[in-house]
Amino acid sequence: MPPEWGRDGNLRDKFRPDVIALVSSSATERAALAAVVAARDWLGIECESVRDFIRFLRRNTPTVVLVRHQLVDGHSDDVLSAVVDGGVAPETRIVVIMTANAPPADEARQVALGADCVLRDPVRIGVLTEYLAKYHGAPMRTRKAGR
């Protein structure tokens, strides 16, 4: 497949578009996040569970993963582990969304496990969109495994 230069200055396969993975067990939340992503003409792929995300990750390398902390079959910890420890996508940026009353220790744990950003409910769409723009179009950096 012929390569091309991406917005981030890295060589990319032009047949593998930049993708934002939207991981939430709530269909309403996934639809809302998909609308935010589509409004900027980005490609968003919805995943309902950790299992769906891992299946998606076997064939795709997302530029950004936007994940709800609590999922129907696990937690964002499982998604972080699949990305960071799995070594599948070391350049992928990860945004975790937590409930407003989540303990600070849980928020700190997400960062320690490899999250680039942790947002709390209620999520401000303007702030979320700017993080996605920053991470989706930013130069890729390599994440150290086990971080």
Side-chain angles (χ1 to χ4, degrees), residues 10-121:
N10 289 329
L11 197 58
R12 293 201 184 277
D13 182 339
K14 73 178 186 178
F15 296 108
R16 295 197 82 128
D18 291 340
V19 176
I20 298 174
L22 309 169
V23 188
S24 173
S25 296
S26 165
T28 304
E29 183 174 56
R30 283 193 317 275
L33 295 173
V36 169
V37 168
R40 295 290 292 259
D41 291 328
W42 296 325
L43 177 60
I45 301 297
E46 298 178 35
C47 300
E48 181 179 5
S49 62
V50 174
R51 181 179 172 176
D52 285 349
F53 175 74
I54 290 172
R55 191 176 314 128
F56 161 79
L57 199 57
R58 288 183 192 137
R59 294 180 299 272
N60 300 279
T61 303
T63 55
V64 180
V65 176
L66 182 56
V67 59
R68 171 60 69 177
H69 180 242
Q70 178 69 46
L71 300 166
V72 71
D73 64 345
H75 293 85
S76 55
D77 302 33
D78 303 314
V79 170
L80 286 160
S81 177
V83 174
V84 177
D85 297 336
V88 176
E91 72 279 359
T92 297
R93 306 285 181 112
I94 304 167
V95 178
V96 176
I97 301 173
M98 300 184 84
T99 60
N101 62 351
D106 287 355
E107 185 176 359
R109 187 179 78 243
Q110 298 304 298
V111 174
L113 291 173
D116 293 287
C117 175
V118 178
L119 300 175
R120 289 175 173 264
D121 289 326

